[in-house]
Amino acid sequence: MQAVDRLLQIMERLRDPRQGCPWDVEQDFYSIAPHTVEEAYEVADAIERRDMEALRDELGDLLLQVIFHARMGEEDGYFDFQSVAETLEAKLIRRHPHVFGTSQVAEAESVTHHWEAIKEQERRHRGGGHSALDGVATALPALVRASKLQRRAARVGFDWPDHRGAAAKVREELQEVEAEVHGPAERREAEVGDLLFAVVNLARHLDVDPETALRRAGQRFEGRFRGVEAEFEARGEPLGEQSIDALEAAWQRAKRRAGGA
């Protein structure tokens, strides 16, 4: 813990109103929150790239965010790093009675069900509502939140029996989008939102993480589009002057070069 103790001392110095860093001193929970989210995404990016050196670096940046928030909490008398760690320690033990207690589970799926049941008890103990959707953070990325809402609803039986119902709902929502193509902007937004929500539901039934799937789709698009750009640049032909047929043909060639279907 010596390294962590030194980090806590460094942060205390950075936040010192008289001798600290002016930028660090003027920050608060709200101004730092976007940086915390960004660092979490950079951790995920390093994992996606299988870059372990970058992952070590990004995990350090994410730890900095925890230390920063803990220091601000200590200054305001809410909590400190020690209490954050103690709360986590108690939570891990409480949510793993099959490891630290007498309960027994046979497989990972059973662990997940047990974990969710314990979390539900915790929410009720904190005085939360009685909806199955209580506790789903509104600040989550939209795809992640949609998936989590659907999983919560599914736990109480509000779900299609298999992927076919979810797929049919996607087709239904697409028709509703098409019906509103020339409708008011708010209706188009609502119908597109319903379509995206239905696609997330289909992904869940197919055991596909929608956030990961969309991120990788974006990566494939970027690679293929850059291939199209490179092809026309090599010929000295401006991309913006090509016909849609020429662009489509170049796109298909880029897909084949990348090994895509």
Side-chain angles (χ1 to χ4, degrees):
M1 290 293 292
Q2 291 182 353
V4 174
D5 290 338
R6 289 195 297 272
L7 287 171
L8 294 173
Q9 292 169 4
I10 290 170
M11 181 53 66
E12 181 179 2
R13 177 67 182 276
L14 290 172
R15 290 280 295 176
D16 186 282
R18 290 175 296 178
Q19 300 180 350
C21 169
W23 186 89
D24 290 280
V25 170
E26 73 177 17
Q27 302 310 309
D28 58 25
F29 292 116
Y30 299 96
S31 65
I32 289 297
H35 298 281
T36 307
V37 173
E38 180 181 342
E39 295 299 348
Y41 275 112
E42 290 183 0
V43 166
D45 179 67
I47 293 171
E48 184 74 20
R49 293 184 286 108
R50 293 178 172 82
D51 187 337
M52 293 300 106
E53 184 175 351
L55 178 58
R56 180 186 61 193
D57 185 58
E58 297 300 346
L59 286 172
D61 291 344
L62 186 58
L63 176 59
L64 168 62
Q65 298 300 308
V66 176
I67 289 173
F68 210 138
H69 284 286
R71 179 61 201 172
M72 292 187 292
E74 183 175 0
E75 292 167 356
D76 293 340
Y78 298 133
F79 52 80
D80 59 10
F81 186 85
Q82 182 67 24
S83 64
V84 170
E86 289 172 351
T87 299
L88 174 59
E89 176 188 16
K91 184 185 297 183
L92 288 173
I93 293 173
R94 185 173 64 249
R95 293 183 178 180
H96 292 85
H98 53 290
V99 176
F100 302 105
T102 58
S103 299
Q104 297 195 6
V105 292
E107 55 190 16
E109 185 175 356
S110 299
V111 172
T112 300
H113 290 312
H114 205 58
W115 175 281
E116 292 295 345
I118 293 171
K119 288 174 65 176
E120 177 63 24
Q121 292 173 2
E122 292 172 355
R123 284 191 292 270
R124 292 182 183 278
H125 181 72
R126 290 195 299 266
H130 299 289
S131 170
L133 305 182
D134 286 340
V136 180
T138 56
L140 287 170
L143 290 178
V144 175
R145 189 167 193 268
S147 184
K148 197 161 189 175
L149 288 170
Q150 292 166 3
R151 289 198 303 272
R152 287 286 191 86
R155 288 212 304 268
V156 294
F158 193 82
D159 197 12
W160 301 106
D162 55 41
H163 77 280
R164 288 172 291 189
K169 188 64 175 176
V170 170
R171 291 190 289 270
E172 175 188 326
E173 295 296 348
L174 178 57
Q175 291 176 348
E176 293 183 7
V177 169
E178 292 173 335
E180 293 291 348
V181 167
H182 301 294
E186 62 270 18
R187 289 302 308 158
R188 296 198 303 272
E189 178 190 279
E191 295 302 344
V192 169
D194 290 346
L195 174 60
L196 291 171
F197 197 82
V199 170
V200 170
N201 204 17
L202 176 59
R204 181 177 60 85
H205 275 275
L206 297 177
D207 197 25
V208 170
D209 176 63
E211 190 79 20
T212 300
L214 184 56
R215 183 171 62 251
R216 290 178 177 171
Q219 291 168 349
R220 290 194 299 274
F221 175 86
E222 181 179 8
R224 294 165 183 174
F225 186 81
R226 288 180 183 275
V228 171
E229 287 180 315
E231 178 178 324
F232 286 106
E233 183 178 355
R235 298 206 299 257
E237 301 175 7
L239 188 67
E241 296 179 4
Q242 306 306 312
S243 69
I244 188 63
D245 291 337
L247 291 172
E248 174 62 21
W251 176 263
Q252 294 302 325
R253 288 191 292 272
K255 285 179 63 176
R256 288 194 293 271
R257 286 193 298 270

